[in-house]
């Protein structure tokens, strides 16, 4: 009887350990420090965020981390910087296959105006009108007047997306879910 109890407890402990390992593997949160002001007011410089790998394609409105694309004029446009050492946070506003227009600060997707309650102040210049390819996303900063984003480097490929911002964890007074 005692042997059965020990075996049962061992199996339960092994099962719990396996479940914890699976959960940790799925979570795999990476810490990042926000350095610029292009995502204000959602994220401020000096905030620390937790970034999870993309387990599903990003949705409109998601905050994503991407390898910063090459500057305009460096072919091919929108492909990741080969050095791979600069990662930036931006908001997904256009999804694969959509027609995206940005005129006078107003975002339209497939002819429908998309509300953007997260924007910080005036949106600045940079009109655009483009059709996204099958694996392309348009990403923009929330503080458009201070952001280098898809208006400058064009759409980004799915291969440039590193992960999704899950939450901000520091400083505590600014905690916000991404």
């Amino acid at each position: 009887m005692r042997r059965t109890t020990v075996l049962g407890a061992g199996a339960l402990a092994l099962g719990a350990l396996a479940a914890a390992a699976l959960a940790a593997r799925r979570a795999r949160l990476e810490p990042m420090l926000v350095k610029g002001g292009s995502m204000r007011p959602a994220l401020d410089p000096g905030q620390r965020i937790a970034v999870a790998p993309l387990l599903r394609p990003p949705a409109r409105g998601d905050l994503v981390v991407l390898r910063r694309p090459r500057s305009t004029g460096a072919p091919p446009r929108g492909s990741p910087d080969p050095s791979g050492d600069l990662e930036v946070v931006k908001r997904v506003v256009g999804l694969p296959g959509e027609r995206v227009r940005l005129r006078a600060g107003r975002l339209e997707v497939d002819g429908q105006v998309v509300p953007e309650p997260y924007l910080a102040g005036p949106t600045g210049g940079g009109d655009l009108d483009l059709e996204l390819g099958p694996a392309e996303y348009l990403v923009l900063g929330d503080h458009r007047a201070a952001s280098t984003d898809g208006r400058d480097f064009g759409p980004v490929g799915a291969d440039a997306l590193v992960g999704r911002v899950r939450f901000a964890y520091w400083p505590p007074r600014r905690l916000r879910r991404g």
Side-chain angles (χ1 to χ4, degrees):
M1 180 91 169
R2 182 171 236 193
R3 182 180 230 172
T4 305
T5 305
V6 171
L7 287 176
L12 183 61
L14 186 59
L17 184 62
L22 181 63
R25 180 182 167 127
R26 280 190 62 93
R28 284 194 335 235
L29 297 176
E30 291 288 329
M32 282 190 69
L33 174 66
V34 177
K35 292 185 181 177
S38 72
M39 290 306 297
R40 280 187 171 151
L43 299 172
D44 286 326
Q47 258 188 299
R48 294 189 181 274
I49 56 176
V51 179
L54 288 171
L55 300 176
R56 62 172 172 77
R60 185 178 340 284
D62 281 353
L63 296 181
V64 294
V65 173
L66 59 134
R67 287 184 303 280
R68 182 165 176 175
R70 295 182 188 124
S71 300
T72 302
R77 193 167 179 223
S79 60
D81 180 353
S83 68
D85 57 2
L86 182 60
E87 293 176 339
V88 295
V89 179
K90 300 295 174 198
R91 189 175 301 273
V92 175
V93 298
L95 303 173
E98 293 180 333
R99 180 173 195 92
V100 182
R101 289 185 178 149
L102 188 62
R103 295 210 193 290
R106 190 175 80 176
L107 177 67
E108 292 179 15
V109 175
D110 292 333
Q112 301 293 318
V113 175
V114 176
E116 296 184 284
Y118 43 77
L119 288 182
T123 58
D127 291 351
L128 82 122
D129 184 355
L130 52 88
E131 183 93 21
L132 296 173
E136 290 183 327
Y137 294 86
L138 182 64
V139 295
L140 300 175
D142 288 357
H143 186 25
R144 305 255 165 91
S147 181
T148 300
D149 51 33
R151 296 168 299 163
D152 302 297
F153 50 71
V156 295
D159 62 330
L161 302 177
V162 173
R164 179 180 290 105
V165 176
R166 298 299 297 171
F167 56 87
Y169 64 89
W170 195 263
R173 69 183 183 285
R174 293 270 309 153
L175 293 183
R176 223 178 253 177
R177 194 158 164 72

